[in-house]
Amino acid sequence: MAEHSLVVILDFGAQYSMLIARRVREANVYCEILPYNTTAKELKRRNVKGIILSGGPNSVYDKNAPHPDPQLWNLNVPILGICYGMQLIAEALKGKVKKGKKREYGKAEIRIDPSNALFSGLPQSISCWMSHGDSVSKLPPGFIAIGHTKNTPNAAIGSSKKNIFGVQFHPEVVHTPLGSEIIVNFLYKICAIKPTWTTEHYIETACRSLKETLGKQKILCALSGGVDSTTVAALVHKAVGKQLTCMFIDQGFMRKNEAKKIKELISKNFRIKVFYIDASQRFYEKLNGVIDPEQKRKLIGTEFIRVFEEEAKKLGKIPFLAQGTLYPDVIESAVPSKVTTAHTIKTHHNVGGLPEKMGFKLVEPLRLLFKDEVRLLGKDLGIAEEIITRQPFPGPGLAIRIIGEVTPERVKILQEVDDIIVTEIKNAGYYKKLWQSFGVLLPIRTVGVMGDQRTYLNTVAVRAVTSVDAMTADWARLPYELLEKISNRIVNECPLVNRVVYDISSKPPSTIEWE
Ligand code: XMP
């Protein structure tokens, strides 16, 4: 994306690097998150117009504390340090950082200097979110304090001459309500970047690059009905039209009527030819008697690849495969020097293994985008609102929401339950406010009473969460009346269910899906 000014966020192991990147993108500026030790030479080669140093869990004096390339300070590119990033500035430019005895954590009022470009247009006092132990005790030569709180005299510092600024608080989080403005000031006023990163521009550049890569060759896309794969298909179709072939594999674990709906929506919307493959029988056979969640995921993943391979062969030689990989996935897997390490909590099912095994060349036209950017892009490409606003749905589908054995009968129960939950949540106006809302079928039966009859039937859990990126999530405080309606409808309309419970656990320590 050479035509857009590039801002780089150097990641020092912050929880919030991704949030910083989102704020920058929301300001219509293109940015990438790179490892903290990216060399100054590389940043220069990429013609970086602004650098943001993220926060991080360390103290600058820790033995293994991550430090940037010392040449960074001589690049003559505007720098904004956030929290740990600001302490790095102080330390590197001959100020002092004091080890804190106590962590300052939570909301604080900061008095700022609105005559400074970084705070231009803001009131003299704003709310901000603090989370630090250390603080800057002596300013580096040439720097002034441009903000202070009750506990932190140097809560924001800057040198307009050097174009280097630091804030002790986190402007990227929602608890700093005017934080976005601070980031915007840094980008527009200090880095002098123009907001050119728009979906219109993106479509143009992506189509050009797809045409160049593909020439006259064919490309295959596996659709799932979600916003990512549909947007990929629409984008590729816009770029190369009939060279695109789409495939939709129904493994039998979709929601009620979903496979049919997706088929209709896509062919109507784009007149793209979609090969629909009903492979449910095969998947059910594979899962026969399997109750271990990881085994389920692996079996489904492998079978998916098998079906895909067989079907793709029937279509003749197609050299390229389009995939809906998003920027968060790219960062997760591609920042080798990331200071924090992530464990595999669950094996995620996607078509990642396909290109290598089958000799496909991979095309990932969304790999620079966040989910909200994909939604905007999809909208601009004319994708139906119903798909754009669809909540994420896991690759293995309802199979990982049926605890215990997956049988067609149990899938049918959950489909009905899920349909009621989604319908009621939509009717109450909550669907778009939630990251996900769904039902889980538990492997237990409990005693109930209906009319004068004793019942001994299934229990289902309702799961509804809010989240920005699925890395963390909170259970949704849905109104009791809505929960009551959902519960009443389920026990009245699903003859095999007599109990409904509401999941009130957050992630972490729980996960969003139950398996
Ligand atoms: P967890 O359960 O790990 O889920 O908190 C985080 C998010 O990822 C989705 N998810 C998946 N998505 N294939 C997918 O494409 C999968 O195998 C898969 N497993 C979980 C989940 O729905 C949530 O949004």
Side-chain angles (χ1 to χ4, degrees):
M1 300 291 133
E3 302 155 44
H4 301 282
S5 300
L6 169 65
V7 166
V8 159
I9 296 148
L10 291 182
D11 181 19
F12 290 89
Q15 295 170 45
Y16 299 133
S17 296
M18 202 92 90
L19 267 185
I20 304 173
R22 287 170 59 100
R23 297 290 165 261
V24 175
R25 297 277 186 96
E26 278 161 17
N28 297 116
V29 171
Y30 180 62
C31 67
E32 287 182 25
I33 301 174
L34 295 182
Y36 69 91
N37 53 3
T38 306
T39 62
K41 205 167 142 201
E42 173 64 9
L43 296 173
K44 194 164 178 188
R45 187 189 69 75
R46 297 205 54 195
N47 196 16
V48 170
K49 295 284 188 254
I51 298 169
I52 299 178
L53 311 177
S54 83
N58 294 80
S59 162
V60 287
Y61 297 123
D62 284 351
K63 212 168 114 220
N64 295 320
H67 286 268
D69 180 350
Q71 291 308 318
L72 183 85
W73 314 109
N74 305 326
L75 274 178
N76 247 332
V77 172
I79 295 176
L80 173 66
I82 294 177
C83 196
Y84 178 76
M86 160 161 135
Q87 290 152 16
L88 285 171
I89 295 173
E91 192 221 6
L93 301 180
K94 306 205 163 50
K96 268 210 177 86
V97 176
K98 187 179 70 182
K99 239 187 162 22
K101 285 194 198 82
K102 244 178 47 200
R103 270 191 91 69
E104 185 181 11
Y105 184 82
K107 267 197 176 163
E109 280 300 309
I110 177 168
R111 289 196 73 81
I112 50 172
D113 175 6
S115 70
N116 189 283
L118 189 64
F119 298 133
S120 170
L122 297 182
Q124 278 183 341
S125 176
I126 63 168
S127 287
C128 68
W129 184 258
M130 288 285 193
S131 168
H132 66 116
D134 298 358
S135 51
V136 172
S137 54
K138 185 175 154 243
L139 295 174
F143 277 71
I144 54 167
I146 52 175
H148 65 270
T149 67
K150 216 166 94 204
N151 297 329
T152 313
N154 298 319
I157 64 172
S159 158
S160 300
K161 194 156 158 242
K162 288 192 164 70
N163 257 341
I164 298 181
F165 298 83
V167 288
Q168 185 58 73
F169 58 92
H170 289 274
E172 70 276 23
V173 303
V174 287
H175 313 292
T176 304
L178 294 172
S180 291
E181 263 94 317
I182 297 172
I183 291 174
V184 161
N185 281 338
F186 175 68
L187 299 169
Y188 299 174
K189 294 205 158 47
I190 296 169
C191 306
I193 296 175
K194 297 238 157 20
T196 59
W197 176 255
T198 58
T199 40
E200 219 175 282
H201 250 88
Y202 187 81
I203 293 175
E204 238 179 78
T205 350
C207 283
R208 207 179 316 135
S209 129
L210 279 165
K211 275 188 193 136
E212 268 170 32
T213 314
L214 298 179
K216 296 265 165 258
Q217 304 178 83
K218 284 190 180 168
I219 179 162
L220 182 60
C221 178
L223 286 175
S224 72
V227 59
D228 305 344
S229 66
T230 314
T231 305
V232 168
L235 189 60
V236 175
H237 189 254
K238 187 173 175 69
V240 298
K242 290 208 166 96
Q243 284 164 251
L244 170 70
T245 304
C246 286
M247 196 195 287
F248 177 81
I249 298 171
D250 180 0
Q251 9 79 323
F253 314 132
M254 304 296 285
R255 283 169 288 197
K256 189 178 173 184
N257 295 331
E258 192 165 31
K260 193 167 144 247
K261 260 209 297 226
I262 289 166
K263 215 167 110 183
E264 280 171 10
L265 267 172
I266 291 173
S267 41
K268 245 199 237 146
N269 240 244
F270 298 108
R271 298 203 194 92
I272 299 175
K273 189 160 173 47
V274 182
F275 285 91
Y276 170 82
I277 293 130
D278 180 359
S280 47
Q281 191 68 29
R282 295 176 60 157
F283 281 87
Y284 279 118
E285 274 164 26
K286 281 279 164 228
L287 289 194
N288 192 7
V290 177
I291 55 166
D292 178 69
E294 274 302 280
Q295 205 189 344
K296 266 189 204 173
R297 280 175 172 274
K298 286 196 176 123
L299 284 172
I300 295 173
T302 316
E303 195 57 15
F304 186 90
I305 293 179
R306 251 184 229 139
V307 176
F308 190 91
E309 256 172 349
E310 287 171 24
E311 297 299 327
K313 255 192 215 137
K314 294 183 195 161
L315 298 171
K317 179 80 194 137
I318 300 186
F320 288 93
L321 179 73
Q323 210 168 265
T325 317
L326 302 193
Y327 195 48
D329 312 323
V330 174
I331 306 171
E332 286 292 302
S333 53
V335 183
S337 63
K338 209 166 158 55
V339 196
T340 48
T341 46
H343 295 271
T344 304
I345 309 286
K346 295 173 185 180
T347 307
H348 273 208
H349 155 61
N350 55 34
V351 286
L354 289 175
E356 241 175 80
K357 277 192 71 169
M358 300 181 57
F360 274 119
K361 286 182 232 160
L362 194 59
V363 172
E364 298 172 310
L366 309 182
R367 73 193 316 276
L368 299 176
L369 304 184
F370 286 107
K371 191 91 181 177
D372 47 348
E373 293 177 307
V374 174
R375 290 208 165 104
L376 288 176
L377 181 68
K379 207 164 156 210
D380 276 10
L381 286 165
I383 296 174
E385 171 84 4
E386 202 183 331
I387 294 182
I388 298 289
T389 53
R390 181 165 295 203
Q391 291 173 353
F393 187 63
L398 299 182
I400 55 162
R401 294 178 180 170
I402 293 175
I403 315 305
E405 196 178 355
V406 182
T407 61
E409 296 72 36
R410 290 177 67 77
V411 170
K412 182 93 183 56
I413 297 175
L414 188 56
Q415 279 178 337
E416 296 301 327
V417 165
D418 187 79
D419 190 53
I420 293 172
I421 296 174
V422 173
T423 306
E424 289 308 326
I425 289 214
K426 277 187 178 163
N427 288 347
Y430 275 84
Y431 186 79
K432 290 188 201 164
K433 293 182 200 157
L434 298 172
W435 176 266
Q436 272 168 305
S437 42
F438 55 87
V440 181
L441 181 59
L442 307 190
I444 49 162
R445 288 191 293 165
T446 67
V447 174
V449 54
M450 244 185 225
D452 292 329
Q453 296 284 327
R454 174 189 189 270
T455 58
Y456 186 51
L457 298 170
N458 294 284
T459 303
V460 296
V462 176
R463 180 81 164 136
V465 296
T466 53
S467 173
V468 276
D469 52 12
M471 310 275 264
T472 61
D474 198 6
W475 61 276
R477 273 55 170 180
L478 294 180
Y480 285 165
E481 296 70 27
L482 173 55
L483 291 171
E484 182 185 18
K485 183 126 197 234
I486 290 172
S487 161
N488 280 347
R489 277 200 61 194
I490 293 174
V491 289
N492 284 325
E493 296 173 36
C494 306
L496 295 174
V497 180
N498 70 351
R499 190 176 298 273
V500 178
V501 296
Y502 188 50
D503 181 350
I504 51 166
S505 33
S506 297
K507 174 183 180 177
S510 299
T511 51
I512 298 175
E513 303 289 347
W514 277 38
E515 287 198 335

